[in-house]
Amino acid sequence: MPVLYLTEADVGSLLTMDLAIEAVAAAFRKVGCDEADNVPRRRCQTDRLMLHVLPAAAKTLGAVGFKAYTTPRDGPARFHVTLFDPKTGELAALMEADLLGQFRTGAASGVATKKLARPDAATVGCIGTGKQARTQVLAVCKVRPVTRVAVYGRDASRSAAFAAQLAAETGVAVEAVDSAEAAVRGLDIVITATTAREPVLKGEWLADGCHVNLVGSNFLAKAEADVDVFRRASLVSVDSKEQARLEAGDLLAPLNQHVLSWADVFDFGPLLVGKYPGRQTPHDITVFKSLGLGIEDVAVAARVLDLARQKGVGREIL
C-alpha cells in the first residue's frame, strides 16, 4: 500500500468538527473499555527546541501511530502525525497536524461537554482568543443549544475580530467582553484556552450548575484555574489520569492544599462509558481538564486518512 502525505491544506479540506467529535468520542470509549493504548506525552530537548511525542494504538479504530511536534525557541511549532497499517505495521501515512491538533482538542471538550454539561446549557464563556479557543467554541456549539458566547482576551481588537469570526462560523451571538470575570459570571459553560502561567479563572465567578473545560496548560508549572474552582467542583475529570500526574499544573495547587485528592479525579474514558457517575444534579459544577492525548490524534488522523483515500487527496511519497 502506498504511503500518503497530507499537507495542512489537504487535512483542512477533509476535516470537520463533526468528524473530529465522532472520532474522539470513539477513542475515549475504546480507552474506557480497555481497548486502546495511550502513552503519555514524552518530551526531550536541546538548547534550541523541544520535541514532544504522543504514541497511541487502537486496532479496532484502525489507528496506530504517533503525533510528534517541535517547539523551537525561535520560530513556529511544527506538527505531524505518523500512521501505520494496524495489521501489517507498514507505514501508511504522514500528515501535517497543526489544524488536526486544534480540532481534536476542541472535540475532546465537545465530547466532555456533551457528557457533563446540563442538557439545557446555552451560554458559553471563553477566556482566550487563539487557535485553540476557536475550536473549543466550535465544538461546544455542536453539542449544546448555544445561544450566546462571551469571549475575553487581553487584546481588545483581537477579541473583537475573534468574536466576529466565531459569530460567522457558528451563527450564534458572540460578544467580546472587557474582563475574564465578564466571560464567566452567570454562564453555563466556561472554557479557558490560554498560555497563562497563573490562574485566569476564579472559582467565585462560577455559576451553580456550570461546566468548565480547562485546556490551556499541559505543564506542571502552568495553571489557568485557581484552587476555588476545584473547591466548588462536584466532579473533576481528566482526559488521562496517568498523563495528568505528569502535566496537569491546574491540579497541583488543589492537591497540595488537600482541596483535591487523586481519588477525586476521574479518567474521562471510563466515565464516558458509565464506569463512574457523571453529573448528579443540575446544580453541580463539573470540570474537564484536557491535556491532549495521542489516542485523540491518531483516531482523528485515521478518519482523515480514510477520507483522503476515498477522495484521492494527498500525495504518494513511497
Side-chain angles (χ1 to χ4, degrees):
M1 182 176 293
V3 178
L4 205 59
Y5 184 83
L6 300 176
T7 65
E8 279 286 294
D10 293 332
V11 173
S13 72
L14 300 167
L15 182 56
T16 66
M17 186 54 73
D18 287 324
L19 179 151
I21 288 173
E22 290 172 9
V24 169
F28 274 130
R29 286 193 292 269
K30 293 298 181 184
V31 170
C33 295
D34 297 319
E35 296 176 6
D37 190 12
N38 181 80
V39 178
R41 184 182 353 246
R42 294 292 183 261
R43 294 181 167 108
C44 57
Q45 67 184 74
T46 70
D47 61 340
R48 302 296 301 172
L49 61 82
M50 184 175 288
L51 170 66
H52 318 247
V53 183
L54 298 88
K59 183 181 68 174
T60 53
L61 294 177
V64 177
F66 62 90
K67 181 167 80 174
Y69 63 102
T70 54
T71 49
R73 178 179 296 176
D74 303 308
R78 301 183 185 279
F79 304 81
H80 289 85
V81 169
T82 302
L83 293 178
F84 300 89
D85 186 289
K87 295 180 180 178
T88 67
E90 293 178 290
L91 182 64
L94 177 65
M95 64 183 72
E96 295 179 354
D98 188 3
L99 186 66
L100 186 148
Q102 295 165 39
F103 269 69
R104 67 82 151 129
T105 306
S109 291
V111 176
T113 300
K114 184 175 181 179
K115 176 67 176 180
L116 297 175
R118 298 191 331 268
D120 63 346
T123 56
V124 178
C126 181
I127 303 174
T129 57
K131 295 185 292 185
Q132 293 288 358
R134 169 181 169 256
T135 51
Q136 291 292 312
V137 175
L138 293 180
V140 167
C141 287
K142 289 287 186 179
V143 301
R144 283 296 182 267
V146 176
T147 58
R148 175 178 175 259
V149 179
V151 299
Y152 171 72
R154 291 173 296 178
D155 184 317
S157 61
R158 178 172 175 170
S159 295
F162 180 77
Q165 178 188 6
L166 278 178
E169 289 186 284
T170 63
V172 171
V174 184
E175 175 190 5
V177 295
D178 59 6
S179 70
E181 182 176 357
V184 175
R185 277 207 183 270
L187 302 185
D188 300 326
I189 299 166
V190 173
I191 300 160
T192 61
T194 74
T195 58
R197 291 188 172 273
E198 300 296 330
V200 294
L201 175 64
K202 294 184 178 182
E204 66 183 80
W205 299 342
L206 298 175
D208 286 347
C210 81
H211 171 69
V212 180
N213 294 313
L214 304 173
V215 305
S217 165
N218 55 27
F219 284 91
L220 289 178
K222 298 170 67 175
E224 296 181 297
D226 74 1
V227 173
D228 282 341
V229 169
F230 299 93
R231 185 174 284 114
R232 295 194 62 198
S234 300
L235 172 69
V236 177
S237 182
V238 294
D239 48 10
S240 163
K241 198 166 176 177
E242 183 182 10
Q243 192 162 317
R245 291 179 182 272
L246 303 173
E247 297 184 350
D250 288 285
L251 304 185
L252 206 56
L255 287 167
N256 289 341
Q257 295 181 32
H258 306 292
V259 169
L260 192 68
S261 74
W262 281 112
D264 302 318
V265 179
F266 296 96
D267 270 307
F268 182 72
L271 189 153
L272 181 64
V273 298
K275 293 183 179 180
Y276 306 127
R279 171 181 291 275
Q280 298 296 293
T281 79
H283 304 292
D284 286 350
I285 291 175
T286 56
V287 175
F288 173 66
K289 172 58 193 161
S290 173
L291 296 157
L293 308 184
I295 192 65
E296 300 165 4
D297 291 302
V298 300
V300 174
R303 292 287 302 275
V304 169
L305 177 58
D306 286 344
L307 278 178
R309 286 172 172 161
Q310 292 171 26
K311 297 186 176 184
V313 174
R315 175 168 57 92
E316 294 181 4
I317 56 174
L318 288 174

